[in-house]
Amino acid sequence: MACRKKAGLPRVIEILDVSKRYAAGAHAALHGLSLAIAEGEFLALIGPSGCGKTTTLGLINRLVEPSQGTVRIGGRDIAASDPAALRRGIGYVFQEAGLFPHLTVAGNIAVTPRLLGWDPALTLSRVMELLALVKLDPERFADRMPHELSGGQRQRVALARALAARPPILLLDEPFGALDPLTRDEVAQDVKRIHGELGLTTVMVTHDMTEALLLADRIAVMRDGHLVQLGTPRELVAHPADDFVSSMLETPRRRAAALAAALA
Ligand SMILES: Nc1ncnc2c1ncn2[C@@H]1O[C@H](COP(=O)(O)OP(=O)(O)OP(=O)(O)O)[C@@H](O)[C@H]1O
Ligand SMILES: [Mg+2]
């Protein structure tokens, strides 16, 4: 239902026939990829290691430049934008939280506001607000160093840092990869809540089809630099495009069946 409503919204991110070759003669990481993401959508990018997920995410904030093709945000070709200005509007959470080890939690979250020259009192109140948003008690956590945090807490700080300057777009590269299943589920549910509360457009890379099915409005399945299928969780489950997509759905199907049997 939510998706049908979103289908009418402008396509805020458009990847148009993009190919990427990291070096002349190298195997292409992306082959003519086209993908449009609607405003307010939560899109999951999924596929095997090396299929081009991080490369695709990087296209959106110009960490990766296309060898061919165009990327538009809000209808404008981002090749003409200033990368720093572009990235201010796009929060990015890296595969491994990537916090600055020598800065406190508050210092990490304040990095972008400080770069933007925000008033210190405003920055501090924003840091406190963000800690509450990601469910970390400001009293306990603001002054801690990254090495004093659990993996899940580090990912929460990375998320807060990515959202500090109120970007409308959030990119997440396997944000829960290193977390235990319970923590993973908790942080994932919080990301989904924050996505809705802030009205973000979110693109999340994941290896986990169950997670993609539970969190995303639409799922983009990639293989060898190609988009194999793009659809809602319901569409994927009902009509997998090929055996590859079917095989990716096997684990969640098995889990669902086992759970249903155990609870029967
Ligand atoms: N900076 C780079 N220079 C050269 N080749 C690269 C670079 N970054 C990625 N590649 C290659 O491009 C292909 C796609 O890489 P990418 O990082 O996008 O994969 P991925 O789907 O994110 O994989 P993973 O799930 O392991 O993170 C791979 O073959 C990789 O070796
Ligand atoms: Mg990757």
Side-chain angles (χ1 to χ4, degrees):
M1 197 61 128
C3 271
R4 213 166 298 142
K5 196 176 75 199
K6 280 165 190 165
L9 286 168
R11 299 284 159 178
V12 66
I13 304 169
E14 295 167 287
I15 297 172
L16 303 163
D17 199 19
V18 167
S19 295
K20 176 65 185 177
R21 214 176 274 282
Y22 280 100
H27 183 73
L30 297 176
H31 305 262
L33 178 76
S34 290
L35 179 61
I37 302 149
E39 198 173 323
E41 186 168 28
F42 195 123
L43 183 94
L45 269 182
I46 190 165
S49 185
C51 73
K53 302 180 298 295
T54 298
T55 301
T56 302
L57 216 54
L59 289 175
I60 299 170
N61 70 351
R62 292 191 64 188
L63 282 178
V64 173
E65 299 289 353
S67 307
Q68 184 197 303
T70 310
V71 180
R72 288 196 204 132
I73 295 184
R76 296 170 64 169
D77 185 346
I78 62 169
S81 69
D82 166 35
L86 177 76
R87 286 177 201 145
R88 253 174 253 142
I90 303 177
Y92 197 108
V93 177
F94 293 87
Q95 218 151 336
E96 299 290 329
L99 299 179
F100 298 111
H102 57 290
L103 293 180
T104 63
V105 163
N108 266 281
I109 298 173
V111 161
T112 306
R114 284 190 181 138
L115 277 175
L116 295 176
W118 285 21
D119 170 76
L122 183 67
T123 301
L124 184 64
S125 75
R126 180 69 180 146
V127 166
M128 296 303 154
E129 185 179 84
L130 284 158
L131 281 169
L133 183 75
V134 300
K135 294 194 181 155
L136 291 175
D137 178 3
E139 295 270 307
R140 285 176 58 208
F141 289 100
D143 296 327
R144 285 212 201 164
M145 301 305 286
H147 75 268
E148 298 170 318
L149 302 174
S150 71
Q153 289 161 351
R154 271 199 286 274
Q155 285 300 21
R156 288 175 184 276
V157 175
L159 181 63
R161 182 178 62 177
L163 295 171
R166 304 182 195 280
I169 295 173
L170 178 63
L171 308 179
L172 305 156
D173 196 350
E174 295 209 51
F176 324 124
L179 307 179
D180 68 85
L182 200 65
T183 311
R184 193 181 172 113
D185 186 53
E186 276 175 19
V187 185
Q189 290 309 322
D190 280 327
V191 165
K192 180 79 176 173
R193 169 182 59 83
I194 290 167
H195 163 85
E197 277 179 17
L198 304 185
L200 301 169
T201 300
T202 301
V203 184
M204 182 184 81
V205 168
T206 178
H207 264 115
D208 184 337
M209 183 56 102
T210 308
E211 189 166 272
L213 290 169
L214 292 175
L215 290 181
D217 294 318
R218 286 192 307 163
I219 301 172
V221 184
M222 295 182 65
R223 186 187 196 182
D224 295 336
H226 294 275
L227 181 64
V228 183
Q229 187 167 12
L230 176 65
T232 63
R234 220 171 261 282
E235 285 164 357
L236 250 69
V237 170
H239 307 287
D242 60 12
D243 290 348
F244 173 70
V245 179
S246 281
S247 74
M248 296 200 66
L249 290 162
E250 245 166 59
T251 306
R253 277 188 208 281
R254 244 199 326 268
R255 279 191 198 165
L259 199 59
L263 297 174

